[in-house]
Amino acid sequence: MTRAALIQQIKIKKSFLCIGLDTDLAKIPAHLLDDEDPIFSFNKAIIEATEDLCVAYKPNIAFYECYGVKGWKSLQKTWEVIPKNCLSIADAKRGDIGNTSTRYAKAFFDEDVSGLGFDALTIAPYMGHDSVIPFLDIPNKWSIVLALTSNPGSRDFQNFTNASGVELFEYVLDKVKAWGTPENTMFVVGATRGEGFLSVRKHVPDYFLLVPGVGAQGGSLQEVCKYGMNKECGLLVNSTRGIIYASDGKDFAERAREEALKLQKEMQVELERAEIILAQ
Amino acid sequence: MTRAALIQQIKIKKSFLCIGLDTDLAKIPAHLLDDEDPIFSFNKAIIEATEDLCVAYKPNIAFYECYGVKGWKSLQKTWEVIPKNCLSIADAKRGDIGNTSTRYAKAFFDEDVSGLGFDALTIAPYMGHDSVIPFLDIPNKWSIVLALTSNPGSRDFQNFTNASGVELFEYVLDKVKAWGTPENTMFVVGATRGEGFLSVRKHVPDYFLLVPGVGAQGGSLQEVCKYGMNKECGLLVNSTRGIIYASDGKDFAERAREEALKLQKEMQVELERAEIILAQ
């Protein structure tokens, strides 16, 4: 999906919501556990109930990989039912030396080789340019590079500061933006790091940001938009637990839709306020 | 495998060799391609030909993951044939927020859940303590955290330096050693960064280091040992391409053994020089 197509979807759906698919057998409704592939049954129902309200789905690969071969089958089936008008993001945090990153790119981007053809992949930058560039080299795919994450440990290294006062996450933004373009690169910036958005936008005013941490992790959508939104939106705000685990009963998909709708309405207000869409 | 058991194996085998299993269908002998699972056939033959000469095997997970479900089957079968007296290392460079790292730990360490029960996993530290500690919490398993890697891009961020002259990789060593112990934590230090070993050993004198980059990437075993060996060896030196692709003919396993034997003999000299084993 191109940047222009993504922006078009945001305007059509009046939403920049990404729904995380961190699908956990211990949390999904009990009645699904007798299905042949409960994880896939759950994801399919969630997707069908919410696809008009969000512009992206983000399976968290660890939640599939932990079941080995079986989990990869669930992941493949899930990827196949993500609608083509939604950005499909493999949240995998991969990154390794060049010839190995090339393989990870095949794993998530090359359907003919791996059975998976995600639009985007999250990438860990610690190993530097030859660990990131192989992903950027794949046409029509997105690399979403970790910058400032939403977790408590993000402060351990991401705020490590050089003698000029530049923090590591800022240095990552500056380096990586020179390797990619706003057409193929995004950055992960956690909603729990509200104060960080001003600084992030100084470095990458035009890039899309994938923003986890709204909801269960405590981040505020309004604060994210105040400091992080640009004139083309430039945000994909992820919510997972608040949507997919809104109910553990038979009404789980309906309740997920209700929660997604609440967020979509809040997002519409923000898009109207920023004059990205016309107020109705 | 405990640290004591690993050191015992190093002394018995007179070797601290780790063999990388970056198994590539384009490089393995053509006669294997008709097998049901050529990757597994290749790995099994390599392991059987070399298991008395090395103390660890390290499948590079990207080379399996790129084939999706099928690749995970090859990985599982490969893990099953790694002898119990060798450390099995999943080279996966994982790391994510706490509840997700817990899932990755299950994926590679918990045979009952995933079908894989590796002894060790490589970990990317960018996301900080809650991304690393879930791996350290699993008893009798090793976390091998990236510090100073062997690739050209390693200089991009790992040498980022604070106002006191501390480089990021040194800061990572200091932080991570406070989370783990020499009994459950190792660090990745590339052989191509010879000058870095002195600095690494100032920060982590007692920890084992996993050292890629000898051979094809240009690192020198002698230099690694001169600056990196400690009184219990403290090194696992990896070689991949020089061993597993020594021949692409029917003699590939024999030729792999010959190359592994050369390295084992060089390692024996180093172990004798350091008086870790008696000279014969």
Side-chain angles (χ1 to χ4, degrees):
Chain A
M1 180 182 282
T2 65
R3 179 184 167 92
L6 177 61
I7 293 167
Q8 188 185 30
Q9 286 300 315
I10 289 170
K11 291 178 179 176
I12 291 171
K13 293 179 171 173
K14 303 177 174 60
S15 169
F16 43 99
L17 177 61
C18 174
I19 297 181
L21 298 171
D22 301 23
T23 307
D24 182 345
L25 287 177
K27 289 187 182 165
I28 68 175
H31 74 276
L32 294 178
L33 297 178
D34 294 331
D35 285 12
E36 190 198 335
D37 186 342
I39 290 177
F40 172 66
S41 298
F42 179 83
N43 289 348
K44 184 166 181 285
I46 293 283
I47 291 168
E48 287 173 355
T50 58
E51 61 180 273
D52 59 320
L53 303 174
C54 68
V55 295
Y57 288 99
K58 181 174 74 62
N60 180 336
I61 303 306
F63 283 73
Y64 303 83
E65 195 159 283
C66 70
Y67 298 112
V69 170
K70 201 171 166 188
W72 276 77
K73 285 185 187 167
S74 304
L75 177 64
Q76 186 174 348
K77 287 158 70 184
T78 298
W79 170 72
E80 286 167 358
V81 297
I82 296 176
K84 294 295 170 222
N85 67 355
C86 291
L87 193 78
S88 58
I89 303 171
D91 191 2
K93 316 278 199 304
R94 298 299 195 258
D96 207 312
I97 66 171
N99 79 332
T100 301
S101 277
T102 300
R103 297 277 156 168
Y104 280 125
K106 283 187 196 297
F108 293 101
F109 290 157
D110 192 338
E111 188 184 354
D112 293 340
V113 178
S114 68
L116 296 174
F118 280 93
D119 296 315
L121 178 69
T122 58
I123 292 166
Y126 189 78
M127 293 180 70
H129 65 269
D130 56 313
S131 72
V132 176
I133 289 171
F135 299 106
L136 294 168
D137 283 344
I138 312 292
N140 306 315
K141 300 291 182 181
W142 290 89
S143 297
I144 308 181
V145 180
L146 299 181
L148 192 60
T149 59
S150 59
N151 61 313
S154 63
R155 292 173 198 276
D156 288 326
F157 304 125
Q158 296 164 26
N159 296 116
F160 187 72
T161 305
N162 75 9
S164 311
V166 177
E167 298 183 70
L168 178 62
F169 79 90
E170 298 177 290
Y171 194 71
V172 167
L173 291 168
D174 284 340
K175 281 272 190 183
V176 175
K177 79 178 181 190
W179 305 334
T181 75
E183 306 289 326
N184 69 0
T185 308
M186 302 188 189
F187 295 97
V188 175
V189 180
T192 52
R193 304 293 297 267
E195 84 286 6
F197 275 90
L198 276 176
S199 166
V200 168
R201 278 301 183 205
K202 276 185 206 153
H203 293 271
V204 290
D206 300 327
Y207 285 72
F208 263 85
L209 308 179
L210 174 63
V211 184
V214 163
Q217 290 183 58
S220 147
L221 177 67
Q222 286 68 31
E223 197 173 325
V224 168
C225 291
K226 183 173 175 187
Y227 298 115
M229 191 173 263
N230 67 20
K231 66 185 189 303
E232 295 179 306
C233 182
L235 296 171
L236 293 176
V237 170
N238 184 76
S239 177
T240 302
R241 287 171 264 184
I243 294 175
I244 70 173
Y245 299 130
S247 159
D248 62 359
K250 293 208 168 172
D251 63 345
F252 74 97
E254 282 164 61
R255 291 280 293 114
R257 179 174 178 81
E258 287 169 22
E259 293 302 318
L261 189 60
K262 279 185 207 164
L263 274 170
Q264 183 272 318
K265 291 292 177 203
E266 291 181 45
M267 289 179 176
Q268 183 171 345
V269 170
E270 298 296 334
L271 289 166
E272 289 172 353
R273 189 187 326 238
E275 299 181 357
I276 292 165
I277 59 172
L278 292 176
Q280 293 183 318
Chain B
M1 182 183 282
T2 64
R3 180 183 166 91
L6 176 61
I7 293 168
Q8 188 185 30
Q9 286 300 316
I10 289 171
K11 291 178 179 177
I12 291 170
K13 292 179 171 173
K14 303 178 174 60
S15 169
F16 44 98
L17 177 61
C18 173
I19 297 181
L21 298 171
D22 300 23
T23 307
D24 182 345
L25 286 177
K27 289 188 182 166
I28 68 176
H31 74 275
L32 294 177
L33 297 177
D34 295 330
D35 286 11
E36 190 198 335
D37 185 343
I39 290 177
F40 172 65
S41 298
F42 179 82
N43 289 347
K44 185 166 180 283
I46 293 284
I47 291 168
E48 288 173 355
T50 57
E51 60 180 276
D52 57 320
L53 303 175
C54 68
V55 295
Y57 289 99
K58 181 175 73 63
N60 180 335
I61 304 306
F63 283 74
Y64 303 82
E65 196 159 282
C66 70
Y67 297 112
V69 170
K70 201 171 164 188
W72 275 78
K73 285 184 186 165
S74 304
L75 178 63
Q76 186 174 347
K77 287 158 68 187
T78 297
W79 170 71
E80 286 167 358
V81 297
I82 297 177
K84 293 296 170 221
N85 67 356
C86 291
L87 193 78
S88 57
I89 303 171
D91 191 3
K93 315 282 198 304
R94 299 300 195 255
D96 206 312
I97 65 171
N99 78 330
T100 301
S101 278
T102 300
R103 297 277 156 169
Y104 280 126
K106 283 187 198 298
F108 293 101
F109 289 158
D110 191 339
E111 188 184 354
D112 292 341
V113 177
S114 68
L116 295 174
F118 279 93
D119 296 315
L121 179 69
T122 58
I123 292 167
Y126 189 78
M127 293 180 71
H129 66 268
D130 56 314
S131 72
V132 176
I133 289 171
F135 299 106
L136 294 169
D137 282 345
I138 312 292
N140 307 315
K141 300 291 181 181
W142 291 90
S143 297
I144 308 181
V145 180
L146 298 181
L148 192 59
T149 60
S150 58
N151 60 313
S154 63
R155 292 173 197 277
D156 287 326
F157 304 124
Q158 296 163 25
N159 295 117
F160 187 71
T161 305
N162 75 10
S164 311
V166 177
E167 298 185 68
L168 178 62
F169 80 90
E170 298 177 290
Y171 195 71
V172 166
L173 291 169
D174 284 340
K175 281 270 190 186
V176 175
K177 78 179 181 190
W179 305 334
T181 74
E183 305 290 326
N184 69 359
T185 307
M186 302 186 190
F187 294 96
V188 175
V189 180
T192 52
R193 305 293 296 267
E195 84 286 6
F197 275 89
L198 275 176
S199 166
V200 167
R201 279 303 183 202
K202 277 185 205 152
H203 293 271
V204 290
D206 299 328
Y207 285 71
F208 262 85
L209 308 178
L210 174 63
V211 184
V214 163
Q217 290 183 58
S220 144
L221 177 66
Q222 287 68 33
E223 197 173 324
V224 168
C225 293
K226 183 174 174 187
Y227 298 115
M229 191 174 265
N230 66 20
K231 64 185 189 304
E232 296 178 306
C233 182
L235 296 171
L236 293 176
V237 171
N238 184 77
S239 177
T240 302
R241 286 170 263 185
I243 293 176
I244 73 173
Y245 299 130
S247 159
D248 62 359
K250 294 208 167 172
D251 63 345
F252 73 97
E254 280 164 63
R255 291 280 292 114
R257 180 175 176 80
E258 286 169 21
E259 294 301 319
L261 189 60
K262 278 185 208 164
L263 274 170
Q264 182 272 318
K265 291 291 176 203
E266 291 181 45
M267 289 179 175
Q268 182 171 347
V269 170
E270 298 296 335
L271 288 167
E272 290 172 355
R273 189 185 328 236
E275 299 182 358
I276 293 165
I277 59 172
L278 291 177
Q280 292 182 319

